[in-house]
Amino acid sequence: MQQARDHGGGIDAALARWGGARGEWIDLSTGINPEPYPVGDVPGAAWTALPDAGAQARLIAAARAFWDVPEELEIVAAPGASAIIAALPGLWPVGRVDVPGPTYNEHEAAFRACGWEIGAGGEARVIVHPNNPDGRLWSAEELSAPRMVIDESFCDVTPGRSLVGEAGPGRVVLKSFGKFWGLAGLRLGFAIGAPDEMARLRARLGPWAVSGPALEIGARALEDRAWAEATRKRLAADAARLDGLMAAHGALVGGTDLFRLYEVADAAAFQDRLGRAQILSRIFPYSDRWVRLGLPEREGWARLEAAL
């Protein structure tokens, strides 16, 4: 049986290890906005009818406007960025792919599953921009392979650094809806690229890839620029607040306004201390000193401060 890859989340495992009731836990192990976009009422037809072309067109138009996607590029919506990550390696002939790490581990796994060799100097390259977990931002000059995957799942907090304008033949930009809008359970993601490659990706995803409720809520959220601007300001303030709380406990390594990465004396011990207070953090199998913390919701700040 294939071993599950290391990810954030996992309250069930935390309950088994540290106890407590599910409702008592604060999950800081992900980079998901803790104050999500207000969903509001969803029309009944979004639940009962097959998703129609009009709803799909509205979502794509909203995505094009929000991310300022050039008209010559196509946008494909999918049931989460993870579905796109799994499908992308099959769009191109098998070869070697460079996945600079440490980074989000699903990219390497997806290419391996399609028979690609992992290593530098190959036909393809994957960059996570900003990188997870250290927040590294890449430049257009670093798009150095004939085929590029540019994962901008966390880039909506820094829209001015987006590389969407660099998308085109052999260059696909990914966008995640769940992180910035805080609706990871909706399962919605986007790929931006050249029309022929996006047509092949759309065929791999199959018909009705995005649910009716996701089409409606996604379009509504992408059209709400005021909420996005206010959210960026709040997230920046909260990230600075978290840095202040952690100043006495660890050194800031990097991150984004949705998650912060710190170096502490003993990552496992630090995670255990928070876990005993029913606060879940993220540590990594490749570092015994790195701890990643997401942002708590408003009611969680006092508990986090007390646990620290």
Side-chain angles (χ1 to χ4, degrees):
M1 182 180 295
Q2 185 178 27
Q3 185 176 1
R5 286 179 286 279
D6 174 64
H7 291 294
I11 293 297
D12 286 336
L15 286 169
R17 180 175 176 183
W18 289 291
R22 176 174 287 275
E24 297 173 342
W25 276 84
I26 299 172
D27 187 358
L28 304 185
S29 68
T30 73
I32 298 168
N33 183 351
E35 297 186 24
Y37 183 79
V39 171
D41 294 329
V42 177
W47 298 99
T48 60
L50 285 172
D52 63 23
Q56 174 86 8
R58 179 190 171 195
L59 176 68
I60 297 303
R64 186 176 298 278
F66 188 85
W67 288 307
D68 196 22
V69 177
E71 287 297 325
E72 65 271 18
L73 299 179
E74 293 265 342
I75 305 172
V76 173
S82 59
I84 301 171
I85 290 170
L88 276 179
L91 298 185
W92 301 314
V94 172
R96 177 182 294 183
V97 59
D98 179 22
V99 187
T103 193
Y104 184 58
N105 58 33
E106 290 297 328
H107 288 288
E108 180 175 322
F111 275 93
R112 283 191 187 278
C114 283
W116 286 69
E117 179 185 354
I118 310 300
E123 295 84 0
R125 194 178 200 211
V126 178
I127 60 171
V128 180
H129 171 74
N131 190 45
N132 176 11
D134 62 5
R136 174 182 175 177
L137 288 163
W138 300 78
S139 67
E141 291 71 31
E142 292 173 292
L143 307 183
S144 54
R147 297 181 175 91
M148 291 292 310
V149 177
I150 306 159
D151 183 345
E152 292 196 346
S153 290
F154 289 100
C155 204
D156 289 309
V157 293
T158 53
R161 299 298 301 271
S162 174
L163 295 172
V164 163
E166 302 296 326
R171 291 182 174 183
V172 179
V173 173
L174 306 186
K175 293 288 189 179
S176 170
F177 183 82
K179 276 76 170 182
F180 179 70
W181 284 271
L183 296 172
L186 193 67
R187 308 311 305 140
L188 181 60
F190 300 85
I192 300 166
D196 61 332
E197 289 169 322
M198 293 301 95
R200 297 202 303 274
L201 174 61
R202 193 178 292 111
R204 282 179 170 269
L205 294 171
W208 311 298
V210 179
S211 71
L215 292 174
E216 169 66 27
I217 295 166
R220 193 183 299 172
L222 287 163
E223 292 164 352
D224 194 343
R225 298 294 186 92
W227 184 90
E229 287 302 316
T231 295
R232 288 189 187 105
K233 293 177 182 177
R234 175 183 56 79
L235 292 171
D238 284 353
R241 181 179 181 182
L242 183 59
D243 289 345
L245 289 181
M246 281 293 296
H249 307 282
L252 177 65
V253 176
T256 73
D257 286 347
L258 283 165
F259 62 83
R260 311 299 274 174
L261 182 67
Y262 303 99
E263 183 174 350
V264 298
D266 185 328
F270 189 91
Q271 183 185 56
D272 183 65
R273 188 170 82 214
L274 291 185
R276 285 184 275 112
Q278 279 71 61
I279 299 172
L280 184 58
S281 59
R282 176 85 187 276
I283 61 175
F284 302 91
Y286 49 77
S287 173
D288 60 3
R289 295 172 67 90
W290 280 7
V291 173
R292 200 189 73 182
L293 297 177
L295 303 175
E297 58 188 7
R298 293 176 187 177
E299 296 77 14
W301 285 100
R303 277 185 55 193
L304 176 60
E305 186 171 7
L308 289 172

